[in-house]
Amino acid sequence: MLIKIPVESPACNLESERAIAFSELGDRLFDELADKIATKRQYRLLFEHKLKPELFQQILVAAAGYICACLNSPIILSEAEMLERLLEARNTLPNYTGTGLLMPKREHTLAFNLFQKSVAEAFSKLGANDLIDAVDLPVNLRMVYGKTDTRKLSLPFASSKCHSDVWAGVPADATVVVLPLFGDIDNITIEAGEMPREMELEAMQVMSDFDEGRDIPMAVSYSEAQLQHGTMYFNDARGLHQTVRRKAEGLRISVDFRFRRKFNEAYRAMIPPSIAGVEEDMSVPYEDWLKVGNQTLIVFDETVEQAKNKQNAGAPVPLYTRGYRLVNMFNF
């Protein structure tokens, strides 16, 4: 009896080899970042940097100033008071979106510039300036409540669904940065991990709903990566993550943004072209990003009242802040 042994086609072998080559090149590029930035490295697609206390404190004060401006408070409140006010005002803040963003409006321009500047100054001291090509502008101030409307959990790009940010249009060569600032990060947190490396290349595509990727398994869970205040988390865009709510009370406040690095042309060339995502590329050249709050101001023209009217009209909820101008502070 003759037993036929199945043989993979040359095309199938080529695709498999290309997928592994993409994953390995991505790892090498991510390793280079980690070698310069990481203060702790435990996982393949995630590393941590514990900020110096004075840098973290600078961000906290600026973030609190911005949040309190959104609350119409004439003074910077204590963390406990600020969180209590945010819980009370959750359904009445016109610049708080269903995707968790506290979006700056015209009235908050100066306070937000100080916040943006504080994050950029801390980031510039991490030791990888020579590798950074472009960074998201502006950074995102994100508030995640423990109690949420069940309808929001079913939104196409709900963060509670396991996903890669690439699926919403973030560049596949990006690195995602998250810095927890205030609140209950133990019970309103983020769980991360990685898909099988042979699936990474094929998964680097825009989707109309995170549910389209639900069959992509989390092959490795980063179960010991627990959020800590004052620690920046760097996650390769190939990574998977999701928001997890263990309690229905409280909220978590964090800052997040994405950046793209230099010297990765070969890696970018391996990524298949894709239709536009939900959001356009939000990045600007790194040198321009560092100037905000020092040489330029980021100006938001929409007012709180306009945002309120748009919210009442049921306008689409953006994933990231848009609609700003950069204005030179000085005549050169």
Side-chain angles (χ1 to χ4, degrees), residues 92-108:
T92 58
L93 275 175
N95 61 320
Y96 175 66
T97 74
T99 54
L101 288 187
L102 189 64
M103 301 182 88
K105 301 302 170 187
R106 182 185 298 179
E107 295 87 342
H108 318 130

Side-chain angles (χ1 to χ4, degrees), residues 135-269:
V135 192
D136 276 6
L137 183 71
V139 297
N140 300 313
L141 194 288
R142 201 171 298 276
M143 304 194 308
V144 182
Y145 287 81
K147 185 178 180 180
T148 189
D149 189 331
T150 54
R151 290 174 296 180
K152 291 181 179 177
L153 298 178
S154 61
L155 290 172
F157 298 100
S159 65
S160 56
K161 300 176 182 180
C162 188
H163 65 280
S164 160
D165 284 358
V166 176
W167 301 351
V170 169
D173 64 310
T175 300
V176 182
V177 183
V178 175
L179 173 63
L181 299 176
F182 305 106
D184 187 356
I185 57 175
D186 293 324
N187 295 300
I188 307 169
T189 188
I190 300 171
E191 291 184 353
E194 61 190 65
M195 66 184 78
R197 64 163 64 234
E198 64 272 13
M199 299 182 74
E200 290 172 357
L201 179 57
E202 185 179 359
M204 295 297 98
Q205 59 178 293
V206 174
M207 300 181 182
S208 60
D209 189 313
F210 285 156
D211 283 338
E212 288 185 34
R214 62 180 176 270
D215 292 331
I216 297 175
M218 187 178 284
V220 179
S221 176
Y222 297 168
S223 56
E224 294 181 20
Q226 304 297 319
L227 293 183
Q228 301 289 327
H229 289 120
T231 296
M232 277 185 167
Y233 296 84
F234 292 74
N235 194 189
D236 191 286
R238 293 171 291 155
L240 297 173
H241 57 277
Q242 64 190 113
T243 296
V244 174
R245 296 172 171 85
R246 301 189 180 115
K247 289 176 64 176
E249 300 82 30
L251 75 155
R252 181 193 87 227
I253 302 175
S254 58
V255 55
D256 65 76
F257 58 93
R258 283 142 292 277
F259 69 88
R260 305 176 77 177
R261 54 157 295 171
K262 296 177 179 176
F263 316 121
N264 68 347
E265 290 79 5
Y267 185 64
R268 291 186 186 185

Side-chain angles (χ1 to χ4, degrees), residues 72-89:
N72 294 318
S73 172
I75 61 171
I76 296 180
L77 305 168
S78 69
E79 179 176 353
E81 291 175 309
M82 185 174 67
L83 294 176
E84 183 178 354
R85 289 276 300 274
L86 287 171
L87 287 168
E88 292 172 353

Side-chain angles (χ1 to χ4, degrees), residues 47-88:
F47 64 81
E48 304 173 17
H49 178 95
K50 186 173 179 60
L51 287 174
K52 292 181 178 179
E54 60 271 23
L55 291 176
F56 184 52
Q57 186 62 30
Q58 180 175 287
I59 295 173
L60 285 183
V61 172
Y66 167 57
I67 294 168
C68 292
C70 295
L71 289 169
N72 294 318
S73 172
I75 61 171
I76 296 180
L77 305 168
S78 69
E79 179 176 353
E81 291 175 309
M82 185 174 67
L83 294 176
E84 183 178 354
R85 289 276 300 274
L86 287 171
L87 287 168
E88 292 172 353

